[in-house]
Amino acid sequence: MSEFDLAASSNTRPATRRMAVVLPRICRRLCLVLMAALVAGPVMADVQQADFDSIQLYTLKNSSGMEVSVTNFGAIITSIKVPDRDGKFDDVALGYDSVDKYINAVDKPYFGAVVGRYGNRIAEGTFKLDGQTYTLAKNNPPNHLHGGIIGFDKVVWNAETKSTDRGDAVVLRYTAKDMEEGYPGKLDVTVTYTLTNDNEIIIDYHATTTKATPVNLTQHTYFNLKGEGRGTILDHELLINAKRFTPVDETLIPTGELAPVSGTPFDFTEAKAIGRDIGQEHQQLKFGLGYDHNFVLDREGKGMALAARVHEPISGRVLEVTTTEPGVQFYCGNFLDGRLTGKSGQPYVHRGGFCLETQHFPDSPNQPEFPSTILRPGKAYETTTKWKFTVKE
Ligand code: GLA
């Protein structure tokens, strides 16, 4: 087996499983990347060789045979195997068969990763908090994206597995230093992935801080419900539980407006094929190169609410996303262009996967009208998102 060969390790052993790996070559390469980053930024993640020696793969399997694999590098979900309407299992999450590929492609697609400390964009990489101005990396010029140069998707997390009443779980922990990537406060983060016997993946996020700081954690899995690498997702039928969305400028920063979706290509209040209106002449579709927008979820109060439901007609697979978050970024793989080859050897074509990133709205630290993303000492950041997989006959 090659270094961290995820494909070779996905056997059918039941329940939770751990696998140690050795990564000398990868570490050397990554260390070079990290050293370059160290020269560029203020405080960076403190990455030690020992951390990379501890990268592992964990596979959860439930009573109906559904399997989810997770690595503690970037808290990445590397595969999700779910049945179609005939009971045939396919892997519906885009990703790679080796950690080497995740490391070398990390700054591009964020396949399967937890992104943070602030998922999505912060305008011009700067924000003011309690009278002080903070400067972040403009890693998506002219803006800051997904936590910066070494965001939570590129660090090694501590991981453990546990059995709970809801199902087996992988618990991942990471402590970001005060001023890491320019953000104030030492942030202790825990992300728990639980696989239930009802074919649900529950993602619980928890964080505490030593200083006031923006926090917006999300999960960046790209789905293709036909199976990863099987063409585009344009024929998937999508419903988004949102009558409004947050239009953006040409750099994908919200203008501040909560605009109605009605009468626009952004109306997914009734299920329609993702590709149906994507080619329409619409300035927002031009800015996003397709859909890459935050939707304002229709919800009553706090608690879990429907974010989106996706149905793929050929396999019959359905994914339902519920969340405690106020928004969801619907991104349909506009930046994929066939150059990245996935774990089954197939190219990831343009719009070959979609993401439903449950979140607070982009650029909230600079937009006082948006729900606040500021976490203060003594308070806990707690959010939950659930992905439920079913089939439609
Ligand atoms: C998010 C962003 C997109 C893109 C992807 C990663 O979804 O909104 O613009 O950066 O991440 O490619």
Side-chain angles (χ1 to χ4, degrees), residues 50-64:
D51 293 330
F52 289 94
D53 292 344
S54 76
I55 295 177
Q56 306 205 22
L57 183 70
Y58 302 82
T59 298
L60 306 173
K61 187 168 180 174
N62 72 7
S63 59
S64 19

Side-chain angles (χ1 to χ4, degrees), residues 108 110 121 145-146 220 222 252 292 329 331 335 357:
K108 285 192 72 192
Y110 300 88
R121 293 176 175 77
L145 176 68
H146 292 336
H220 212 297
Y222 289 62
L252 301 189
D292 189 356
Q329 182 87 6
Y331 167 63
F335 298 124
E357 302 156 62

